[in-house]
């Protein structure tokens, strides 16, 4: 029944969707643009912008990331009463973390805590909040762990595709712009992402902040999450462009430690990375309890 009722183009599309869920999408995206598509293959689906019809089989669909949303209503309008409207039931999620990244003359330092919470429940003390996109790109996670992991892994997939097509690594600016463009398509649909994209390319070290609305900012320092205000306080008192490597390591570690000490939603360990010209290295993973004892001894 299945093969008799589905045209070859429909069957090919279903096979392609299954490939995307098994991690083989990179090769699929490299090979697909050469295919020709029948003009009469259309489908009535709900696009990311709220349109009720879309050309499902046009080539851009295969290379554009996204979800197929259910038809019949505007997702943004559906969620609005439960987020900013007057409904008694509110979709309010507690998010807690502290992530930090800053540039100095020897590259970019990335430091994060490792506590993952579900409401008032601490689900793990050993969550990895740094996504290793490629040897020259790192992404941090704050907000919803599921949202951050999905979109940054999707970004890593497209960075690999870029390298296959262009025989060179994608720039930090282009990678951050790609993530920003993907997220802007789902503005107002309930995503929760505050990410930093850090890397080194032909222009030198790069650091960008991207959130779920598609906002994209560039600066020499960013901190995100519920403990970011405490981290900024430490950073503002100690950051210099001419920091030595060891001074930068110590400053980043102290900033995350003090954030975990004051913020109940941050904790676990301090994971630190150093982005250099020849790629990133993982510097350390220190338990905040041990750091507390270490810094307490220094005060004596």
């Amino acid at each position: 029944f299945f093969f008799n009722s589905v045209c070859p183009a429909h069957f090919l599309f279903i096979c392609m969707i299954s490939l995307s869920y098994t991690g083989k999408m990179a090769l699929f995206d490299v090979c697909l643009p050469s295919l020709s598509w029948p003009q009469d293959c259309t489908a009535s689906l709900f696009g990311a912008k709220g349109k009720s019809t879309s050309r499902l089989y046009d080539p851009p669909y295969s290379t554009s990331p996204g979800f197929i949303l259910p038809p019949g209503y505007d997702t943004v309008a559906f969620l609005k009463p439960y987020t900013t409207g007057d409904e008694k039931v509110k979709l309010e999620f507690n998010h807690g973390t502290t992530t930090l990244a800053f540039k100095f003359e020897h590259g970019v330092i990335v430091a994060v805590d490792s506590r993952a919470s579900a409401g008032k429940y601490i689900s793990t003390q050993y969550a990895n909040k740094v996504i290793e996109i490629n040897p020259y790109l790192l992404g941090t996670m704050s907000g919803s762990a599921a949202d951050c992991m999905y979109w940054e892994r999707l970004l890593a997939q497209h960075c690999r595709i870029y390298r296959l097509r262009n025989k060179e690594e994608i720039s930090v600016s282009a990678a951050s712009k790609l993530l920003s463009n993907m997220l802007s398509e789902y503005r107002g649909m309930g995503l929760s992402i505050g990410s930093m994209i850090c890397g080194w390319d032909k222009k030198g070290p790069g650091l960008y902040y991207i959130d779920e609305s598609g906002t994209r900012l560039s600066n020499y320092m960013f901190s995100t999450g519920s403990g970011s205000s405490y981290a900024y306080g430490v950073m503002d008192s100690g950051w210099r462009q001419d920091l030595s490597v060891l001074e930068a390591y110590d400053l980043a570690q102290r900033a995350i430690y003090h954030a975990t000490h004051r913020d109940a939603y941050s904790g676990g360990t301090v994971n630190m990375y150093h982005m250099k010209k020849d790629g990133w290295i993982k510097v350390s993973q220190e338990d905040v309890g041990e750091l507390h004892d270490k810094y307490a001894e220094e005060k004596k």
Side-chain angles (χ1 to χ4, degrees):
F1 174 80
F2 176 80
F3 290 101
N4 290 335
S5 59
V6 180
C7 74
H10 284 72
F11 178 70
L12 179 60
F13 173 75
I14 293 169
C15 293
M16 291 170 182
I17 291 297
S18 66
L19 281 175
S20 69
Y21 286 102
T22 57
K24 300 177 181 176
M25 197 67 176
L27 182 60
F28 164 76
D29 276 341
V30 170
C31 300
L32 184 66
S34 62
L35 298 178
S36 59
W37 297 87
Q39 297 298 315
D40 59 343
C41 289
T42 60
S44 178
L45 290 177
F46 191 85
K49 286 294 186 181
K51 298 177 181 179
S52 59
T53 60
S54 63
R55 289 299 303 275
L56 186 59
Y57 298 100
D58 284 348
Y61 180 86
S62 63
T63 57
S64 61
F67 299 107
I68 299 176
L69 301 176
Y73 58 85
D74 185 337
T75 307
V76 177
F78 174 78
L79 287 174
K80 192 171 183 180
Y82 303 100
T83 54
T84 60
D86 299 326
E87 289 289 336
K88 294 181 180 180
V89 177
K90 293 290 184 183
L91 298 175
E92 297 178 348
F93 303 101
N94 295 323
H95 305 295
T97 190
T98 306
T99 67
L100 169 72
F102 63 89
K103 294 195 292 186
F104 70 122
E105 66 178 19
H106 299 290
V108 184
I109 299 296
V110 181
V112 299
D113 78 312
S114 64
R115 175 174 292 178
S117 55
K120 295 180 173 61
Y121 173 72
I122 298 174
S123 55
T124 180
Q125 291 275 51
Y126 301 101
N128 185 9
K129 298 181 182 179
V130 177
I131 300 290
E132 300 164 356
I133 298 173
N134 66 35
Y136 298 92
L137 277 178
L138 293 171
T140 65
M141 304 192 305
S142 66
S144 167
D147 291 342
C148 292
M149 292 178 72
Y150 174 83
W151 289 104
E152 290 190 31
R153 286 175 178 174
L154 188 62
L155 173 64
Q157 170 191 304
H158 283 271
C159 290
R160 289 194 297 271
I161 294 170
Y162 181 94
R163 179 164 54 84
L164 288 170
R165 287 175 174 165
N166 298 280
K167 305 300 186 292
E168 64 177 3
E169 298 289 354
I170 192 170
S171 68
V172 186
S173 175
S176 64
K177 188 64 176 177
L178 179 58
L179 180 60
S180 172
N181 288 344
M182 289 191 294
L183 293 177
S184 65
E185 291 293 316
Y186 295 88
R187 184 185 291 119
M189 294 190 184
L191 296 179
S192 178
I193 298 173
S195 176
M196 292 175 287
I197 301 299
C198 323
W200 196 299
D201 55 26
K202 296 176 181 178
K203 297 181 179 179
L207 174 59
Y208 292 84
Y209 166 81
I210 300 97
D211 67 16
E212 69 274 0
S213 67
T215 298
R216 174 175 170 268
L217 304 172
S218 176
N219 205 347
Y220 70 92
M221 181 198 308
F222 288 109
S223 183
T224 66
S226 55
S228 60
S229 57
Y230 306 110
Y232 271 129
V234 177
M235 290 300 304
D236 289 341
S237 66
W239 181 87
R240 306 189 317 273
Q241 176 65 25
D242 61 348
L243 285 170
S244 69
V245 172
L246 292 180
E247 286 175 332
Y249 290 171
D250 182 66
L251 179 62
Q253 201 168 62
R254 286 178 183 271
I256 298 297
Y257 158 73
H258 283 289
T260 62
H261 185 61
R262 294 295 180 184
D263 176 41
Y265 291 97
S266 301
T269 62
V270 179
N271 295 317
M272 184 160 52
Y273 290 74
H274 184 185
M275 180 64 68
K276 301 180 179 181
K277 185 176 182 179
D278 56 351
W280 58 263
I281 61 170
K282 186 169 184 178
V283 177
S284 64
Q285 182 176 358
E286 298 282 344
D287 187 274
V288 296
E290 296 176 1
L291 290 175
H292 178 81
D293 295 336
K294 173 185 174 181
Y295 297 145
E297 285 293 326
E298 293 179 359
K299 294 179 181 179
K300 294 181 180 179

